[in-house]
Amino acid sequence: MVQHLDSDLIKASLVKSAQLWLRQLDVFESIDSTNLHLARAAVSGPIDGHVAVAEFQTAGRGRRGRTWSGTAGANVALSMGHAVDVPVSRVGALSLVVGLAAVDVLECAGVDGVGLKWPNDVMLNGAKLGGVLIELVDATPPVSVIIGIGLNVELDAATRASIPAPVATIRDVCDSVDRNALIGALISRVHDFTRAFEQSGFTRFKPVWESLDIHAGQLVDVAGGDHRTTGRVSGVTDAGELRLDTEAGELTFNAGEVSLRVSPD
């Protein structure tokens, strides 16, 4: 049974701090992209406190311009406009913080087996459950960003078959999911985690993120352009960069440069 998105139910599930922060909530049956919607809104003024959700996206996007597929009326497509009072050099770690917020919400909803793949994938038992996309709107502190979150609640067989990589859905492990409550919890937790990130940076989040890293200690390939580096994952830096032990010593990579795959070697 499809549960339709309802702005009143989403607002009712917000914690007090998020209720006070929320300025505008847009709910769409169909839209090109919730992130693009907030990017267009940013042309006219500040988007802090502006949130958009959609039943279906015709041009949903992931990191590095990848497409994001989903089943209409059955998943989470959420974008939040946020002003984050940090230097732009620290924004790179925000996607890791948002990933932690998503895991916290999922675990509280009874979804077991959730982990994280650097820098922005939410994983369930080794398959992709969702992802985070942070887009910079204004680099002048407080930095203005759009925080996009996509989660698979359920997928029809055709959509699942059309995705080349292993994918997972919440319904794979959890029979009952209230999408409105889930979205309200995501807005609340992301807002609270972002405020904590402003105050103390990524350092306080780093040990928890590393404990959820599905590639911790594994041999992986990090690819950027025509170059590939093989090494063993040894954690992340305080800036959210990937740490890799290689034959040349420890190297670090930021999310904008590369993609990561388990090494076949």
Side-chain angles (χ1 to χ4, degrees), residues 24 39 44 67 70 101 107 117 125 176 187 212 243 246 248 265:
Q24 181 174 337
S44 302
T67 58
E107 289 180 340
K117 175 188 171 185
N125 297 323
S176 179
I187 295 169
L212 291 165
R243 296 172 56 211
T246 75
D265 299 339

Side-chain angles (χ1 to χ4, degrees), residues 1-22:
M1 179 178 176
V2 173
Q3 178 200 34
H4 292 288
L5 299 179
D6 185 303
S7 60
D8 290 336
L9 293 177
I10 293 171
K11 289 176 183 177
S13 65
L14 299 174
V15 300
K16 187 67 174 180
S17 59
Q19 288 177 348
L20 294 173
W21 166 80
L22 182 67

Side-chain angles (χ1 to χ4, degrees), residues 147-161:
I147 300 171
I149 303 172
L151 293 175
N152 300 322
V153 178
E154 57 184 300
L155 290 172
D156 60 61
T159 302
R160 192 186 283 259

Side-chain angles (χ1 to χ4, degrees), residues 220-232:
V220 300
D221 290 335
V222 175
D226 296 327
H227 185 68
R228 186 185 85 167
T229 303
T230 300
R232 198 166 299 277

Side-chain angles (χ1 to χ4, degrees), residues 23-201:
R23 181 173 54 84
Q24 181 174 337
L25 174 61
D26 298 332
V27 178
F28 297 97
E29 279 291 321
S30 178
I31 194 173
D32 51 357
S33 159
T34 53
N35 266 36
L36 286 174
H37 173 68
L38 289 190
R40 289 188 290 264
V43 175
S44 302
I47 56 170
D48 185 48
H50 190 167
V51 175
V53 295
E55 298 282 11
F56 184 67
Q57 296 185 113
T58 60
R61 295 177 299 147
R63 192 171 71 93
R64 305 180 82 192
R66 298 185 180 98
T67 58
W68 179 265
S69 301
T71 301
N75 296 297
V76 170
L78 164 67
S79 295
M80 303 170 57
H82 234 298
V84 189
D85 195 11
V86 298
V88 70
S89 60
R90 285 175 52 192
V91 171
L94 184 58
S95 66
L96 280 69
V97 173
V98 174
L100 285 172
V103 169
D104 193 49
V105 168
L106 290 164
E107 289 180 340
C108 288
V111 182
D112 296 324
V114 186
L116 293 168
K117 175 188 171 185
W118 183 88
N120 68 337
D121 286 347
V122 181
M123 309 294 288
L124 177 62
N125 297 323
K128 185 169 179 176
L129 179 66
V132 175
L133 177 63
I134 308 294
E135 297 189 282
L136 183 66
V137 175
D138 188 345
T140 306
V143 173
S144 178
V145 297
I146 299 168
I147 300 171
I149 303 172
L151 293 175
N152 300 322
V153 178
E154 57 184 300
L155 290 172
D156 60 61
T159 302
R160 192 186 283 259
S162 72
I163 300 172
V167 292
T169 75
I170 294 174
R171 287 280 171 83
D172 291 344
V173 296
C174 189
D175 291 335
S176 179
V177 182
D178 184 328
R179 280 200 305 150
N180 290 301
L182 185 69
I183 290 170
L186 282 168
I187 295 169
S188 297
R189 204 76 92 249
V190 169
H191 175 262
D192 286 347
F193 275 41
T194 300
R195 289 290 175 254
F197 173 68
E198 281 183 322
Q199 295 167 8
S200 57

